[in-house]
Amino acid sequence: MTATPLSAATLAEFTEIIRTHVGMPTLDRVAAYRGHRDVAWKLVPTIAREPFRSPDAFCQDHKDQSAERIILLFFNSFSASLMPSWVTAESDKQGSWLRLIVAQHHGLPTRLMDWTTNPLVGLFFALEGNAEKCTVGPTCSSCSGSGTHDSAVYVLTGRRGFTVSSLVSQKENGHAPLYGYNEEVGLLLPPHVDGRVAAQSSIFTIRKAPGTVVDPDLRILIPHAARDGMLRDLEHLGITRKTLFLDLDGIAAYLRWSCTNWEHITGVGHGRPRTP
């Protein structure tokens, strides 16, 4: 059943929705969040998006020529000397799933989809980046008539998460990427590939049919006009690219965004002229 969307135009409204409708998660009842800066985007993993075609792109067995299987084979081959030792030290089946997680972490299209257990991190990814301009017109349901699409945070509540060890112990699941436990959305708790996984409180969804759109338990719409203010509020709470992406790219991206609001420098964005 599709959840009725709620709306939050301030950080206080957003946190109140989380407090009221999600409550306090536990290790065995996980809440997961995913932010989309365009509410029109579908909740499907990268292997189910363009240029891949559903369901032809999905791996069905370990001999097919699906895009999902072939690009993973190439990734495993090309990355052999770069793969962490804690991956190669595991059994063949468990190692295959760890390789899939590493591949997803570095941007390979897979059937895994990135979520977070931190609602503020989910909100950050809904707010950052350039908003999507509307091409539909006044009848568009994604922009409330503003001409720019609204954002959204999607929530899965009260789900039981599992580790890679638990995943491979189920006989229904083969070597990666063959997940066949049931038709439901699974929540996979990843190992800490690097500091970014911990900083973003990362968790993955996975399902037997990757092309089936995830139906969240809660949808929180963020009006386009509220995005900049809420993003600034998140900065005050330490939720920025500098803290979520623990590398040089994250630092540079944070400074590129932040400097447009500085008041003591000249020649950038909204900065005020500096007094001689």
Side-chain angles (χ1 to χ4, degrees), residues 197-213:
V197 172
Q200 296 180 12
S201 302
S202 296
I203 194 169
F204 299 130
T205 53
I206 186 172
R207 68 189 318 173
K208 187 175 181 179
T212 303
V213 177

Side-chain angles (χ1 to χ4, degrees), residues 39-110:
V39 70
W41 291 348
K42 293 182 179 179
L43 275 172
V44 293
T46 49
I47 199 63
R49 305 176 205 160
E50 290 293 336
F52 304 102
R53 296 192 303 271
S54 303
D56 297 341
F58 308 146
C59 180
Q60 303 296 328
D61 60 59
H62 286 295
K63 296 181 180 179
D64 68 27
Q65 297 297 305
S66 65
E68 183 179 23
R69 175 176 173 270
I70 297 303
I71 62 173
L72 183 59
L73 286 176
F74 276 118
F75 179 86
N76 290 340
S77 177
F78 295 162
S79 65
S81 65
L82 303 172
M83 196 61 61
S85 59
W86 53 266
V87 172
T88 57
E90 295 294 342
S91 66
D92 187 41
K93 185 176 181 181
Q94 183 154 331
S96 74
W97 284 99
L98 292 174
R99 287 183 178 87
L100 183 72
I101 289 172
V102 172
Q104 168 72 16
H105 181 70
H106 287 284
L108 192 78
T110 78

